[in-house]
Amino acid sequence: IIHELGSRNVSDYEELLRRLPLTTVTFILGVLALIGIPPFATLWSKGLLIMSIINKGGYYIYILVPVIIGVILEVTAYLRVITVMIGEKHYEIRGKDVHEPKYVVLIPLTLIILTFFLGIFINNMLAVSYTSADNLLNWKSYVNEVLPALSE
């Protein structure tokens, strides 16, 4: 977006949804995933981080304050950018003619869709994660089973 518009000013992003629709939708979905809006997978990671801090208690609870402040700052900053992108222009936009990048947008869009589905199917992902964690924690039994098989 910065490359196409030639500007880092948020005010220059007005009416971007009309001018670069695929890029803007990809950006908005990425921001929603980054903020941790359900059903994106980042909601679960932020939630688990906050819950583990609360469960640990003690002095660790002070870590929760910067985490919450960071989430609030993320939400307010990104929602401002999104509202500017979706809103109408308030002045004549000067500058070069912008065009939609064809294939560059597909990579982040694919990753965003992947995090969306990971968030929806979180129970399946957690089952795989718990099994993997159990196997890693019981590495001695795994090694004992693998070594005799290798010596045959």
Side-chain angles (χ1 to χ4, degrees), residues 89-140:
K89 65 180 180 178
H90 299 295
Y91 60 92
E92 188 61 36
I93 298 172
R94 287 180 261 137
K96 62 181 181 178
D97 186 31
V98 295
H99 65 279
E100 192 81 61
K102 301 270 187 239
Y103 301 107
V104 178
V105 177
L106 293 178
I107 296 170
L109 185 60
T110 304
L111 293 174
I112 291 167
I113 291 170
L114 180 66
T115 60
F116 180 80
F117 284 112
L118 288 176
I120 290 176
F121 301 112
I122 191 67
N123 290 333
N124 297 338
M125 294 304 300
L126 285 177
V128 170
S129 299
Y130 289 144
T131 305
S132 301
D134 286 340
N135 289 337
L136 285 173
L137 292 174
N138 297 326
W139 63 271
K140 289 181 182 178

Side-chain angles (χ1 to χ4, degrees), residues 57-99:
Y59 291 111
Y60 292 103
I61 204 75
Y62 294 113
I63 297 173
L64 194 59
V65 174
V67 170
I68 298 295
I69 290 172
V71 168
I72 291 170
L73 290 175
E74 270 182 338
V75 169
T76 55
Y78 283 124
L79 286 182
R80 179 181 180 274
V81 174
I82 289 173
T83 55
V84 169
M85 287 177 151
I86 293 174
E88 296 178 10
K89 65 180 180 178
H90 299 295
Y91 60 92
E92 188 61 36
I93 298 172
R94 287 180 261 137
K96 62 181 181 178
D97 186 31
V98 295
H99 65 279

